[in-house]
Amino acid sequence: MQDFVQHLINGISLGSIYALIALGYTMVYGILKMINFAHSDVYMVGAFASYYVARWLGIDSNPSIGTLIILLLTSMFFCSLLGLLIERLAYRPLRNSPKLNILITAIGVSLFLEYGGQVVFGADPKVFPDVMKDFVLFSGAGIELTSFDITVLIVSILAMFALDFLIYKTKLGKAMRAVSSNPSVASLMGVNPDRIISFTFIVGSALAGVGSVLVGMKYPKIDPLMGMMIGLKAFVAAVLGGIGSISGAVLGALIMGLSEEMVVAYLSSTYRDALAFGILIVILIFKPAGILGKYSVEKV
Amino acid sequence: MKNLFLSLILTLPLLAGCTKNNNEIAIGEFDSMTGSDATFGLSSNKGVRLAIDEINAAGGVKGKKLALTAMDDQGKNEEAVSAVTRLVTQTKVVAIIGGVASGRSKASAPVAQSHQIPFVSPASTNPDVTKVGDYVFRICFIDPFQGLVMAKFASENMKMKKVAILRDVKNDYSVGLADVFAQEFKKRGGEIVSDLSYQAGDIDFKAQLTQIRSKNPDTLYIPGYYTEVGLIAQQARQLGIKVPLMGGDGWDSEKLSEIGKEAINGNYFSNHYTTESTDPAVSDFIKKFKAKYNETPDALAALGYDAAKILAAAIERAPNLSGPAIRDEIAKTKDFGGVTGKITLNANRDAVKSAVVIQVDGKNRKFITTISP
């Protein structure tokens, strides 16, 4: 039972990291109906940006809340900038071409960033700066709860609420929803779809930036291919929760984190990914649009 | 005319590959200079270069200078194969030093074997590597021995009874050490309470560690590479696992303590040599290495150095520069006084030598004991 609670904590902590990245996938999908495969590599660039900035400022071994905030802002800034650039240069020219072209371009951008990153940053893993002191918040009855677990969870939940507020309570959010449901009608109503789409990329990429600092803090090893697996899992989490749905992405990510954890705990560590993904396939058979996704019939 | 021109262009690189400087003996080296275990290749390469510079400064081999061509395999099996192919077919090397990682040596050695070019691995400890063929040698001990060393150390020196194993299933090296450790530890009356796995590249190990924690082992045996071991150590301490961790020479990197921070201190691993040794050969090597690179050599640098020295000695003894002649001389290596101990090659082309157990203390490595075969 003690173990079960510990596994629960581990799984939720892992899931909240997937959630931050899954939010970016789901936002872009919601508005453009495209899967931005480069998202996980924007996350990688965020980690490297904060690594270099921390070294440049000389705060790479100065763990404090101040360091955390500086690195979060740095990473969010560079990620937003990169997200914006990718949208402008790679996706916007293809806005009116078939969906498949954008999809292939997204994969291309992703590979470009991964392997370009190996040239620019070097392929060997770097050690992420000390962001915050990790300390045990609660220990006893065989359960260890550390400050990192809580920080990651709180930041993910805050990000989710902030996003929810932005989309459902602000004018900008209304414009985003309008573009999502019909870009041409939205533009007739005075909304500039290009600007709204750019804004979506900025917000989504900033979330990836937050994720990169939190992951770097918790697992202090970063390399140019770090986005691959975590991006894949976050993407699957977004699909599982119902792609396009904000709370769905978070729910999906938590399920993903927990199922990985429980597979190792009670079945087999060797088949962790296989079984975790297997569980997802089973869920999708019964809920094809994802848990919170709306299933809409395409009218031809 | 156009065809002639085209064929000229196409054959140029081939011709360039054939031009050989008669005053030089070409030696090839390949290793991971980039990738997740880049420090292995970089260290080994520094050791090799130090040895070759020394040999050349002392007049070279057979009156000729040794010319080293080093290639990067990026930590990938397929790149290792193409590096060896290029060294053999284009650079026309007489012998190859290569492959710290067992997987890459095993993948690329067949190329050298089929061209009858001697292949000396400085640090590939997986038993299968030298089974590729009679041109493949190694100057380090093999995995069963490292597993045996730690099993002996855990049960005899530390008097431990219960051990949990956490192995990297994607890695031949890790699986090899873990298997032999389990077998030898059980033979000595110990119990393996848990045998779990992870995959290189994973960053979260808490599920496995929580599982292990419930079994209350006396130690965790983690024969993986430093990047994952650093993270595992941290997460083990976060979960309140306080027993020492143990591993093999895959831990030996400066990055181990950078990633693992305080969590990695006080843990043990088996290795080829220690800088604390009082052997004059070792202190001499450390002095020269520090003078050249301004850093303390790790075991892989020492092995790279010994590999180059053994190879050069064999080339010197060989009647000519053909593959078979050099091969025969390498095989005759006996009681070679290297930095990593007295090296004798046995009939399986594996080195027979002792190992040391080392305790991690930040960047320092504390010598604990020597364990003989």
Side-chain angles (χ1 to χ4, degrees):
Chain A
M1 188 59 208
Q2 296 169 359
D3 280 347
F4 181 75
V5 177
Q6 182 73 57
H7 283 306
L8 216 56
I9 294 171
N10 299 345
I12 290 173
S13 167
L14 189 62
S16 11
I17 283 177
Y18 292 153
L20 277 171
I21 300 163
L23 284 172
Y25 278 107
T26 222
M27 277 184 74
V28 169
Y29 184 86
I31 199 151
L32 274 184
K33 300 282 173 293
M34 75 158 281
I35 293 154
N36 180 16
F37 279 109
H39 184 67
S40 58
D41 303 296
V42 170
Y43 147 88
M44 174 274 290
V45 172
F48 275 93
S50 32
Y51 168 78
Y52 285 110
V53 168
R55 289 196 5 165
W56 182 62
L57 292 175
I59 52 170
D60 51 335
S61 47
N62 178 22
S64 69
I65 296 283
T67 311
L68 176 67
I69 292 170
I70 292 173
L71 292 189
L72 278 176
L73 292 177
T74 308
S75 175
M76 285 166 77
F77 172 75
F78 280 101
C79 287
S80 308
L81 196 67
L82 183 64
L84 187 68
L85 274 176
I86 293 174
E87 196 273 325
R88 268 286 156 82
L89 302 177
Y91 301 154
R92 190 175 291 181
L94 296 173
R95 191 65 45 80
N96 296 318
S97 45
K99 284 273 176 294
L100 194 61
N101 297 17
I102 296 199
L103 193 74
I104 302 293
T105 308
I107 295 173
V109 172
S110 166
L111 292 173
F112 173 77
L113 289 175
E114 279 165 12
Y115 292 94
Q118 294 205 349
V119 175
V120 178
F121 308 128
D124 58 318
K126 304 272 186 299
V127 182
F128 200 76
D130 275 339
V131 180
M132 247 172 78
K133 270 265 170 292
D134 186 25
F135 51 90
V136 178
L137 286 175
F138 173 81
S139 172
I143 297 156
E144 305 277 332
L145 187 60
T146 68
S147 56
F148 284 1
D149 295 332
I150 296 294
T151 314
V152 173
L153 183 63
I154 290 176
V155 173
S156 313
I157 291 174
L158 280 181
M160 185 184 119
F161 281 119
L163 206 57
D164 209 59
F165 179 80
L166 177 78
I167 289 173
Y168 292 103
K169 298 275 153 47
T170 64
K171 220 170 169 186
L172 208 55
K174 198 178 250 177
M176 284 167 79
R177 281 181 289 143
V179 172
S180 165
S181 88
N182 192 329
S184 41
V185 175
S187 70
L188 286 177
M189 302 295 147
V191 176
N192 181 347
D194 278 344
R195 187 171 295 168
I196 296 300
I197 288 167
S198 295
F199 181 73
T200 308
F201 270 85
I202 289 179
V203 175
S205 304
L207 285 172
V210 174
S212 71
V213 174
L214 294 178
V215 172
M217 174 179 93
K218 200 159 176 248
Y219 312 109
K221 182 202 86 169
I222 58 171
D223 64 84
L225 300 184
M226 67 190 275
M228 267 181 168
M229 202 56 198
I230 206 164
L232 186 64
K233 286 178 179 166
F235 167 62
V236 173
V239 172
L240 174 70
I243 193 149
S245 153
I246 301 288
S247 39
V250 175
L251 183 68
L254 290 176
I255 293 177
M256 184 82 194
L258 281 169
S259 60
E260 270 189 25
E261 179 78 20
M262 295 304 168
V263 165
V264 176
Y266 300 105
L267 296 166
S268 156
S269 50
T270 316
Y271 300 111
R272 183 183 71 183
D273 292 345
L275 287 171
F277 282 103
I279 292 169
L280 305 183
I281 291 172
V282 172
I283 293 181
L284 287 179
I285 289 174
F286 294 104
K287 292 280 290 178
I291 297 170
L292 297 180
K294 285 188 284 289
Y295 187 65
S296 59
V297 182
E298 190 114 336
K299 297 189 193 84
V300 188
Chain B
M1 187 58 208
K2 206 175 166 192
N3 276 338
L4 181 75
F5 185 65
L6 199 70
S7 55
L8 253 176
I9 289 189
L10 287 175
T11 46
L12 259 176
L14 295 175
L15 290 172
C18 289
T19 43
K20 232 186 184 173
N21 190 335
N22 273 333
N23 295 320
E24 286 182 343
I25 299 175
I27 306 268
E29 190 208 349
F30 74 94
D31 235 313
S32 52
M33 317 281 179
T34 58
S36 69
D37 47 358
T39 68
F40 290 167
L42 292 171
S43 283
S44 184
N45 177 254
K46 281 176 186 162
V48 171
R49 279 190 291 152
L50 179 66
I52 290 193
D53 288 351
E54 255 175 47
I55 294 161
N56 285 342
V61 174
K62 290 183 185 300
K64 295 177 181 176
K65 295 254 186 277
L66 294 179
L68 179 73
T69 307
M71 294 202 137
D72 178 17
D73 64 24
Q74 299 165 24
K76 295 176 191 151
N77 288 354
E78 58 278 13
E79 290 294 330
V81 175
S82 74
V84 171
T85 311
R86 276 174 64 183
L87 288 171
V88 171
T89 57
Q90 287 183 26
T91 322
K92 307 257 183 234
V93 296
V94 301
I96 290 174
I97 300 173
V100 165
S102 296
R104 260 112 64 193
S105 294
K106 216 159 91 180
S108 57
V111 180
Q113 175 71 28
S114 66
H115 287 86
Q116 298 197 322
I117 297 292
F119 180 105
V120 182
S121 166
S124 291
T125 49
N126 187 288
D128 290 345
V129 172
T130 47
K131 289 185 187 148
V132 167
D134 57 349
Y135 280 81
V136 186
F137 298 88
R138 85 178 98 217
I139 61 138
C140 53
F141 43 65
I142 55 175
D143 287 343
F145 184 59
Q146 277 202 74
L148 172 103
V149 165
M150 283 325 261
K152 243 178 160 176
F153 177 71
S155 68
E156 288 165 21
N157 299 42
M158 305 289 282
K159 311 271 177 245
M160 288 166 168
K161 292 273 168 267
K162 295 194 291 180
V163 174
I165 294 177
L166 187 54
R167 59 172 87 193
D168 176 357
V169 275
K170 259 172 143 181
N171 187 334
D172 287 348
Y173 158 84
S174 184
V175 172
L177 261 72
D179 284 345
V180 176
F181 179 91
Q183 184 194 329
E184 293 292 332
F185 192 69
K186 277 188 234 158
K187 213 190 270 173
R188 286 169 171 72
E191 189 195 346
I192 305 294
V193 290
S194 178
D195 190 344
L196 299 178
S197 61
Y198 66 91
Q199 295 192 9
D202 284 357
I203 52 173
D204 192 279
F205 307 91
K206 283 202 169 166
Q208 291 94 320
L209 291 168
T210 304
Q211 199 55 354
I212 287 173
R213 191 183 64 183
S214 65
K215 301 277 182 7
N216 282 320
D218 298 324
T219 183
L220 268 65
Y221 187 60
I222 313 166
Y225 287 163
Y226 58 87
T227 36
E228 282 82 25
V229 171
L231 294 175
I232 291 174
Q234 263 197 351
Q235 291 171 24
R237 299 302 181 236
Q238 280 170 3
L239 285 172
I241 298 176
K242 296 196 175 66
V243 297
L245 314 179
M246 294 185 179
D249 61 337
W251 284 29
D252 191 28
S253 164
E254 295 254 312
K255 285 244 163 91
L256 178 72
S257 45
E258 281 176 35
I259 297 174
K261 310 234 163 63
E262 308 92 63
I264 199 69
N265 292 343
N267 300 317
Y268 304 94
F269 67 96
S270 53
N271 209 347
H272 304 265
Y273 106 125
T274 164
T275 49
E276 287 189 7
S277 168
T278 46
D279 186 350
V282 176
S283 49
D284 189 42
F285 166 69
I286 294 170
K287 211 172 73 196
K288 283 185 290 196
F289 195 92
K290 273 188 175 159
K292 191 170 161 80
Y293 303 109
N294 200 18
E295 60 184 272
T296 311
D298 57 17
L300 295 165
L303 287 168
Y305 181 84
D306 280 352
K309 281 283 172 89
I310 287 178
L311 180 61
I315 296 175
E316 183 74 62
R317 293 195 304 265
N320 55 53
L321 291 177
S322 71
I326 297 174
R327 190 220 86 87
D328 291 347
E329 288 305 324
I330 299 174
K332 283 182 200 152
T333 302
K334 195 169 185 304
D335 287 336
F336 182 91
V339 175
T340 59
K342 270 208 168 54
I343 300 166
T344 300
L345 293 183
N346 65 14
N348 298 326
R349 297 171 303 283
D350 299 328
V352 180
K353 58 203 245 197
S354 57
V356 292
V357 176
I358 285 175
Q359 189 176 30
V360 185
D361 177 23
K363 295 256 178 241
N364 299 322
R365 302 280 181 261
K366 226 165 98 193
F367 171 69
I368 301 292
T369 181
T370 301
I371 293 185
S372 307

